[in-house]
Amino acid sequence: MEAKIALKMQFSACIDTDKFARRPSVSLPFSQKLREQHGHPISCHFQPRRTSNWQKHVALEASGSYRNFPAPILESGSFPPSLDEALILKNKSQEILPYIDGRCVYLVGMMGSGKTTIGKILSEVLGYSFCDSDTLVELAVKGTSVAEIFNLYGEGFFRNKESETLQKLSLTHHMVVSTGGGAVIRPINWKYMAKGISVWLDVPLEALARRISAVGTNSRPLLHHDSGDAYNRTLTRLSNLWKERGDAYANANARVSLEEIAAKLGHRDVTNLTPTVIAIEALLQIEAFLKGENGMDIATL
């Protein structure tokens, strides 16, 4: 069923959904040159990404559970080394996976909030596939980049394609989806995402402005044409976008506040947080949502 749906998505993507059941994790690797190659179809295949080293981490799962740690990790003020982070992440994902029940996980948030990075981590540990809705829109428009779509057809055309993409994704399962920053402004998109679990990555605007201005705004059509100092113009534009979208992000089922994580860990700057720590918090917030949804502790389900 899922394979048939995927073929109707017109993304020129080849999806073998049988691999979902056979393999522990699959992903959707897109070419980094996609944004530089306009007008050419692009084929994508889901392929396993798990390495022998990662398999060693998985084998450690039998040694303990997240619940066996002496104190709530994100409240203790001292986070274990990276190996322990990976183990905690894996254990927590396996603990809540049965209760997610195959539903897609949609990551929402402002541009530059790390949706792709965190999405790929979550897809690995959940054994899901990963996709970026902007990339799927690009594929649907013959490989045309988002920036070019805005230039050639306008934002309205892009938003329509974005909604079509989310509607088709809502018919699938076992996917972690990184959505575009403006996907939240259309109520119909929330209707599609309501079939899964939505997670808001809430990052301070100042941190976003530093991150985006450091790498440039060429690929971000809503920022690229502003004038002035890179950081200040980016912060100003992000502030304006926040006024339009802030309330909409709050519709998500779960919220991951980087400021709150940093405060719990004793960090002054959210840039000190590792993607793994953020992914763990995302799983904890998904767990909190599932508890509320079921009206009881997951451990008692």
Side-chain angles (χ1 to χ4, degrees), residues 51 72 105 149 199 214 234 246 257:
T51 66
V105 175
I149 292 173
V199 180
T234 300
S257 169

Side-chain angles (χ1 to χ4, degrees), residues 164-216:
E164 291 174 11
T165 297
L166 291 173
Q167 188 273 332
K168 291 164 184 173
L169 284 170
S170 73
L171 302 177
T172 67
H173 298 84
H174 302 97
M175 299 276 284
V176 175
V177 181
S178 170
T179 67
V184 298
I185 62 178
R186 286 193 171 185
I188 188 63
N189 293 340
W190 286 107
K191 178 181 178 181
Y192 299 141
M193 291 189 287
K195 295 183 179 180
I197 300 172
S198 52
V199 180
W200 170 25
L201 298 184
D202 184 6
V203 184
L205 296 184
E206 294 80 5
L208 291 177
R210 289 197 301 269
R211 184 181 301 174
I212 293 172
S213 59
V215 299

Side-chain angles (χ1 to χ4, degrees), residues 146-162:
V146 170
E148 282 299 306
I149 292 173
F150 269 70
N151 289 334
L152 294 173
Y153 308 109
E155 183 177 358
F157 176 89
F158 172 80
R159 296 299 174 198
N160 289 337
K161 289 295 182 181
E162 182 176 59

Side-chain angles (χ1 to χ4, degrees), residues 37-295:
Q37 297 175 343
H38 309 314
H40 299 283
I42 299 174
S43 297
C44 304
H45 303 270
F46 288 99
Q47 298 175 348
R49 298 178 61 194
R50 185 160 293 166
T51 66
S52 58
N53 286 336
W54 178 252
Q55 290 171 346
K56 292 178 181 178
H57 292 177
V58 173
L60 289 172
E61 181 182 348
S63 66
S65 166
Y66 176 86
R67 294 185 180 275
N68 292 335
F69 283 87
I73 295 300
L74 292 182
E75 297 178 1
S76 65
S78 60
F79 206 89
S82 59
L83 178 61
D84 288 342
E85 289 180 15
L87 176 58
I88 294 167
L89 181 69
K90 184 63 178 178
N91 285 340
K92 178 52 65 177
S93 68
Q94 293 306 301
E95 186 177 321
I96 70 173
L97 184 60
Y99 307 105
I100 296 178
D101 195 29
R103 284 177 287 181
C104 293
V105 175
Y106 296 91
L107 299 180
V108 302
M110 294 283 282
M111 62 181 77
S113 59
K115 298 185 293 290
T116 296
T117 299
I118 303 305
K120 288 180 178 179
I121 293 174
L122 292 177
S123 69
E124 287 282 356
V125 296
L126 293 173
Y128 274 27
S129 298
F130 171 81
C131 70
D132 183 307
S133 66
D134 280 355
T135 302
L136 295 182
V137 171
E138 291 174 337
L139 292 172
V141 191
K142 299 181 179 180
T144 307
S145 72
V146 170
E148 282 299 306
I149 292 173
F150 269 70
N151 289 334
L152 294 173
Y153 308 109
E155 183 177 358
F157 176 89
F158 172 80
R159 296 299 174 198
N160 289 337
K161 289 295 182 181
E162 182 176 59
S163 293
E164 291 174 11
T165 297
L166 291 173
Q167 188 273 332
K168 291 164 184 173
L169 284 170
S170 73
L171 302 177
T172 67
H173 298 84
H174 302 97
M175 299 276 284
V176 175
V177 181
S178 170
T179 67
V184 298
I185 62 178
R186 286 193 171 185
I188 188 63
N189 293 340
W190 286 107
K191 178 181 178 181
Y192 299 141
M193 291 189 287
K195 295 183 179 180
I197 300 172
S198 52
V199 180
W200 170 25
L201 298 184
D202 184 6
V203 184
L205 296 184
E206 294 80 5
L208 291 177
R210 289 197 301 269
R211 184 181 301 174
I212 293 172
S213 59
V215 299
T217 60
N218 290 348
S219 63
R220 302 186 183 279
L222 293 180
L223 298 178
H224 184 51
H225 299 294
D226 293 341
S227 59
D229 171 76
Y231 171 80
N232 288 325
R233 72 168 184 254
T234 300
L235 180 59
T236 298
R237 183 57 173 146
L238 288 175
S239 298
N240 291 332
L241 289 173
W242 175 256
K243 293 177 183 178
E244 300 172 8
R245 304 172 179 176
D247 291 340
Y249 289 128
N251 290 325
N253 299 131
R255 171 176 172 258
V256 176
S257 169
L258 269 65
E259 279 189 320
E260 291 181 5
I261 302 173
K264 291 174 183 178
L265 295 177
H267 296 316
R268 294 183 177 180
D269 193 334
V270 299
T271 59
N272 293 324
L273 301 176
T274 67
T276 304
V277 169
I278 298 170
I280 291 172
E281 178 70 5
L283 292 177
L284 290 171
Q285 293 304 321
I286 290 173
E287 180 183 46
F289 164 71
L290 293 171
K291 288 179 180 179
E293 185 180 52
N294 291 284

